[in-house]
Amino acid sequence: SSPHLVQVRERIRINGQPISKDLFNKYFWLVYNRLEETKDPAHSSMPAYFRFLTIMAFHVFLQEKVDLAVVEVGIGGTYDCTNIVRAPVVCGVSSLGIDHTSILGDTMEKIAWQKGGIFKPGVPAFTVAQPERPLEVLRERAQERKCPLYLCPELDDFEEGCQVLELGLAGAHQRSNAALALQLARMWLQRRSCQGLGELKEVLPSSELLGRPVPLAPAFQLSDAMIQGLRDTEWLGRTQVLSHGPVTWYLDGAHTTSSIQACVRWFRQAALYQDKPHDGSEVRVLLFNATGDRDTAALLKLLVPCHFDYAVFCPNFTEVSLANNADQQNFNVTLENALTRCLENQRTWTRLLEEKVGQDPWLPSPLRVGGLLQPAPARGSLLLVPPAPRPLNSPALVFPCLAQALRWVAQGRDPHLAAPVASGAHLHPAASSGAVLLREAAAVRVLVTGSLHLVGGALRLLVPALSQ
């Protein structure tokens, strides 16, 4: 699976656990040296990062003699290097969204065509409820490839009587993913002639599915193991909540329009409508970054209704110096480029707040933010300084790395993070913007979103055990 959150070993798991450092080291060099020895001298480049890890994953699975390999496509499907598997047991296509448009195309139909490229002759495939046109494209691709394609029933259709199926993940989209996972698991179990799968039962198509060009797969009675598996499911970095004293971190790697919408629904329910502090104030903070060719203005606009008191922008770098942190580093992006993106996001956020004020007379007028970077040479730190008149109450700040951003948000109140250093780390008074409020609030609720890599960097700092 990809990407990893904290360590690259997360991408290759056996029985749910990342392979050990020793195994990773052993197979990395085995594959690397074999490729180095056998490459064509005329075309001497090695496979790129993702392709190398895909080759390595297949080698690990073969050498370790796994019974079943679950392979997540990297980007798209048709031209993705994971698509070299010619005869999988079953294929699945989850809910489609607009992402990676420079590679996959700028419409849902074009993206559906790319995703349908994983269909194989005679290999059953399943998908979930999709918009009408993209679903037709998937059906056409399945017909081209002589692949039987089915639509998954809703997770609720698997419930027996009044028993509500509990899912360890929040959000309607995760229930859709779970319904797809059940169908894929059943196909594998059928291939292994497993007994006790429960009887198939016909599902009446809901009004949402009527007229769709793809037949509906029957639901079936779930085994106790399946019910427990759904209930116990955990997924780091997706609708994850970390309660660290008065500071609660809400982590969700949403990075598309549809996933940010789902993230906002989850955050509002989890943070804004529950556990209000009985005494004292509540401060809400957004920590955001986005990468690639994504329309960050569209993503940020969806986050405005959460009524954040502060928005913090920083690159996905954990520290300014990445010498000992190669797992978190993207060698294709410079700190300067990443900071420029953050400054653009800050200006966008301020503009969105100003527009919001124009619509809502009860909101205070936010500051107009300029773009002045003040270096602090002693520590190499950078902090975006908004212009006068009131730098001590800026609603949007930019930091050069996650460590500084998290420390500013936590203000020494998260036991897992060191307090911000008063002398040197933030020389300009803008660094104290909101610091008093954050230190005195009964509850600080922080949503970290916009990028899986941002969430991964935050997890690395907030849950040090994940780096072990």
Side-chain angles (χ1 to χ4, degrees), residues 378-461:
R379 294 180 177 269
S381 67
L382 291 163
L383 177 75
L384 186 76
V385 178
R390 289 168 55 218
L392 295 182
N393 198 24
S394 169
L397 294 170
V398 170
F399 291 90
C401 68
L402 258 164
Q404 289 189 26
L406 293 180
R407 286 181 194 128
W408 177 82
V409 171
Q411 290 294 320
R413 304 181 72 191
D414 183 329
H416 298 274
L417 291 170
V421 182
S423 59
H426 306 308
L427 297 181
H428 195 279
S432 63
S433 173
V436 174
L437 283 176
L438 289 165
R439 280 197 295 267
E440 294 181 355
V444 179
R445 307 197 188 281
V446 192
L447 175 62
V448 184
T449 193
S451 162
L452 273 168
H453 303 287
L454 179 78
V455 166
L459 278 170
R460 180 186 178 90
L461 295 165

Side-chain angles (χ1 to χ4, degrees), residues 3-11 13 49 236-237 240 318 325-329 452-468:
H4 62 274
L5 289 172
V6 177
Q7 298 191 74
V8 68
R9 296 183 294 112
E10 298 165 26
R11 294 176 182 236
R13 298 170 181 259
Y49 183 79
L236 293 182
Q240 183 180 3
T318 324
N325 191 12
D327 280 285
Q328 301 287 152
Q329 188 163 1
L452 273 168
H453 303 287
L454 179 78
V455 166
L459 278 170
R460 180 186 178 90
L461 295 165
L462 296 169
V463 189
L466 292 174
S467 300
Q468 301 308 311

Side-chain angles (χ1 to χ4, degrees), residues 206-422:
S206 67
S207 57
E208 184 186 6
L209 303 176
L210 283 175
R212 295 296 169 99
V214 177
L216 189 67
F220 52 90
Q221 187 178 342
L222 303 187
S223 66
D224 291 342
M226 288 175 170
I227 293 168
Q228 182 182 343
L230 292 171
R231 186 172 58 241
D232 296 345
T233 298
E234 294 179 347
W235 197 351
L236 293 182
R238 274 77 164 185
T239 61
Q240 183 180 3
V241 180
L242 296 174
S243 295
H244 290 182
V247 186
T248 306
W249 306 91
Y250 299 84
L251 304 151
D252 193 90
H255 50 273
T256 65
T257 303
S258 55
S259 60
I260 287 283
Q261 286 171 330
C263 171
V264 166
R265 285 193 297 271
W266 162 71
F267 177 71
R268 290 179 71 133
Q269 185 174 0
L272 308 191
Y273 301 144
Q274 294 175 3
D275 299 327
K276 291 287 185 186
H278 297 298
D279 53 343
S281 63
E282 174 183 301
V283 176
R284 297 190 287 272
V285 182
L286 170 66
L287 178 55
F288 180 91
N289 192 39
T291 58
D293 55 1
R294 295 180 176 91
D295 182 356
T296 49
L299 302 183
L300 287 170
K301 188 171 186 177
L302 294 170
L303 290 159
V304 170
C306 291
H307 300 298
F308 292 105
D309 299 292
Y310 298 96
V312 176
F313 303 95
C314 71
N316 293 341
F317 302 129
T318 324
E319 305 278 356
V320 175
S321 169
L322 287 158
N324 300 316
N325 191 12
D327 280 285
Q328 301 287 152
Q329 188 163 1
N330 183 343
F331 292 93
N332 298 317
V333 178
T334 66
L335 177 60
E336 184 181 5
N337 289 342
L339 274 173
T340 300
R341 184 80 176 262
C342 292
L343 294 171
E344 290 170 359
N345 291 341
Q346 186 206 34
R347 283 192 287 271
T348 299
W349 182 256
T350 307
R351 176 176 54 77
L352 288 168
L353 288 188
E354 287 172 347
E355 291 171 0
K356 178 74 174 167
V357 167
Q359 299 161 11
D360 188 344
W362 298 106
L363 286 177
S365 177
L367 289 178
R368 178 182 58 81
V369 173
L372 175 65
L373 275 173
Q374 295 271 344
R379 294 180 177 269
S381 67
L382 291 163
L383 177 75
L384 186 76
V385 178
R390 289 168 55 218
L392 295 182
N393 198 24
S394 169
L397 294 170
V398 170
F399 291 90
C401 68
L402 258 164
Q404 289 189 26
L406 293 180
R407 286 181 194 128
W408 177 82
V409 171
Q411 290 294 320
R413 304 181 72 191
D414 183 329
H416 298 274
L417 291 170
V421 182

Side-chain angles (χ1 to χ4, degrees), residues 88-93 115-116 118-128 138 141-142 146-152 180 183-184 187 214-215 217:
V89 173
V90 62
C91 296
V93 176
K115 303 277 185 182
I118 66 169
F119 296 156
K120 303 291 184 291
V123 174
F126 293 87
T127 189
V128 297
L138 288 176
R141 291 286 270 162
K146 299 180 172 53
C147 158
L149 176 65
Y150 303 95
L151 206 57
C152 292
L180 177 60
Q183 296 288 354
L184 302 183
M187 287 305 304
V214 177

Side-chain angles (χ1 to χ4, degrees), residues 76-78 91-97 108-120 125-152 180 212-215:
T78 300
C91 296
V93 176
S94 59
S95 183
L96 298 172
M108 292 277 274
E109 289 81 3
K110 290 176 183 175
I111 291 170
W113 188 91
Q114 295 279 1
K115 303 277 185 182
I118 66 169
F119 296 156
K120 303 291 184 291
F126 293 87
T127 189
V128 297
Q130 310 278 9
E132 189 172 352
R133 272 299 298 144
L135 188 62
E136 284 180 13
V137 172
L138 288 176
R139 180 182 63 90
E140 289 162 7
R141 291 286 270 162
Q143 285 180 335
E144 282 170 23
R145 293 168 169 262
K146 299 180 172 53
C147 158
L149 176 65
Y150 303 95
L151 206 57
C152 292
L180 177 60
R212 295 296 169 99
V214 177

